[in-house]
Amino acid sequence: MQCSPPGTYRGAIDVLTKIVRNEGFRALYKGATPPAVGWAAIDSVLLGSLHNYRLFLVRQGMTEPTPGSGIQRLTLFGHGIAGLMAGCTSAFIATPVELLKVKLQLQSQRSVAERRFKGPVHCATQIIRVQGIQGLYSGFTGSLAFRVNFFWMFLSFEALMRGFTSLSGTRFEISTGSANFLSGGLAAFSYWIMAIPADNLKNRMMAYPYPSPYPYPSENTTVSRLSLYRTARDIFRRDGYPGFFRGLGPCLLRAFPVNASAFFVYEGVMRLLDAEKTRH
């Protein structure tokens, strides 16, 4: 939806039906290999660095007393800053993975033999052959702009956790695991609402035709390197402000179950390892 020309699709259901009709059911899983392999590394870097950034900020004094016990804990703003820094750190791994995913998903030929890229390895080697290693980082600034929004994800998660914790001793009290699940799912809504404009920028930067130079449809010119500003200007000229929010509906539909499950597992493992030192 985000990278297609205006008028191509009427909505998420229209995308689904046209892809299945024109390319077959298996086309829904185009580009699945890069994230299936790469997201394990991306999330490991994201969450591992998040924990270390939290500890670093605690050592720097970004703390406040915990109500009741007085034990120092990381502030809400500190949780947001840690999320922002972790998002930027993970961008170095996420950018090549997402670039390959976008390139593979945009191939609409029904037969694999007719596609320019036969798979993620072939796509990566072709990009490197023409553009060098730096070609795998096309859209890096867009990826950074997108991932700084983990500020909202982890700030919202912590705020919600504190809200659920305040229910202890009342008839609305829930288990820590349930609080993790609900907080993770709800925090994802705030994340995607804030991040979707940058997600559009990132994906459209990555979607421009290979190899370089890249043509700009709104200008009679070509550029050797895409920029965040020119991509944003092109979106606004073509689609106006709504163009920055393309694809928000599908993102919100998947946001709760995916992130609720992720936080439930992550926080559970952290408690099991007695590694959580920033929340009391």
Side-chain angles (χ1 to χ4, degrees):
M1 290 178 67
Q2 292 177 339
C3 302
S4 59
T8 304
Y9 302 112
R10 295 189 301 273
I13 301 300
D14 191 43
V15 174
L16 174 66
T17 55
K18 285 183 177 178
I19 289 176
V20 173
R21 183 173 66 246
N22 297 332
E23 303 176 56
F25 181 79
R26 293 179 60 185
L28 296 174
Y29 294 90
K30 282 191 303 184
T33 303
V37 176
W39 278 352
I42 295 169
D43 287 346
S44 294
V45 171
L46 174 70
L47 296 174
S49 62
L50 171 74
H51 180 62
N52 284 283
Y53 285 133
R54 283 173 170 173
L55 295 177
F56 171 77
L57 293 174
V58 167
R59 291 194 295 270
Q60 300 308 306
M62 193 176 284
T63 58
E64 62 185 8
T66 303
S69 67
I71 300 174
Q72 293 297 305
R73 66 181 180 184
L74 187 63
T75 64
L76 275 178
F77 185 68
H79 279 279
I81 293 297
L84 182 154
M85 294 191 294
C88 290
T89 303
S90 66
F92 289 93
I93 297 179
T95 301
V97 172
E98 293 185 340
L99 177 72
L100 297 178
K101 180 192 71 170
V102 169
K103 296 293 189 188
L104 294 172
Q105 287 179 338
L106 285 175
Q107 299 185 118
S108 59
Q109 298 85 352
R110 189 179 184 93
S111 171
V112 176
E114 297 175 356
R115 296 173 185 170
R116 182 163 198 167
F117 305 121
K118 313 307 178 188
V121 175
H122 181 251
C123 182
T125 55
Q126 291 298 303
I127 291 174
I128 293 172
R129 182 177 62 82
V130 175
Q131 298 174 314
I133 290 292
Q134 65 269 26
L136 294 176
Y137 283 86
S138 296
F140 180 68
T141 53
S143 187
L144 282 176
F146 172 67
R147 290 187 164 265
V148 298
N149 288 285
F150 278 109
F151 174 93
W152 305 107
M153 169 78 86
F154 293 106
L155 184 149
S156 298
F157 175 79
E158 182 63 21
L160 288 162
M161 281 297 299
R162 293 183 184 187
F164 286 122
T165 300
S166 68
L167 299 177
S168 297
T170 72
R171 63 192 182 94
F172 300 106
E173 179 180 357
I174 61 176
S175 67
T176 302
S178 298
N180 292 156
F181 186 85
L182 292 173
S183 297
L186 294 172
F189 291 145
S190 67
Y191 170 74
W192 276 108
I193 290 170
M194 299 302 296
I196 193 66
D199 188 49
N200 269 279
L201 287 167
K202 168 181 67 72
N203 288 336
R204 296 195 200 195
M205 291 175 74
M206 293 177 175
Y208 265 82
Y210 155 92
S212 59
Y214 300 92
Y216 266 84
S218 62
E219 305 173 13
N220 294 320
T221 186
T222 58
V223 295
S224 59
R225 207 80 173 141
L226 295 171
S227 73
L228 194 68
Y229 169 72
R230 294 184 73 166
T231 304
R233 187 175 62 179
D234 190 62
I235 291 174
F236 183 74
R237 283 181 176 179
R238 190 176 67 179
D239 302 320
Y241 288 114
F244 292 98
F245 291 88
R246 271 193 184 184
L248 178 60
C251 287
L252 292 179
L253 285 175
R254 74 174 185 180
F256 189 96
V258 170
N259 290 280
S261 301
F263 273 101
F264 176 80
V265 173
Y266 171 69
E267 293 288 335
V269 171
M270 293 292 283
R271 286 194 301 277
L272 182 66
L273 298 176
D274 193 28
E276 179 54 72
K277 306 296 183 183
T278 60
R279 182 184 302 120
H280 300 284

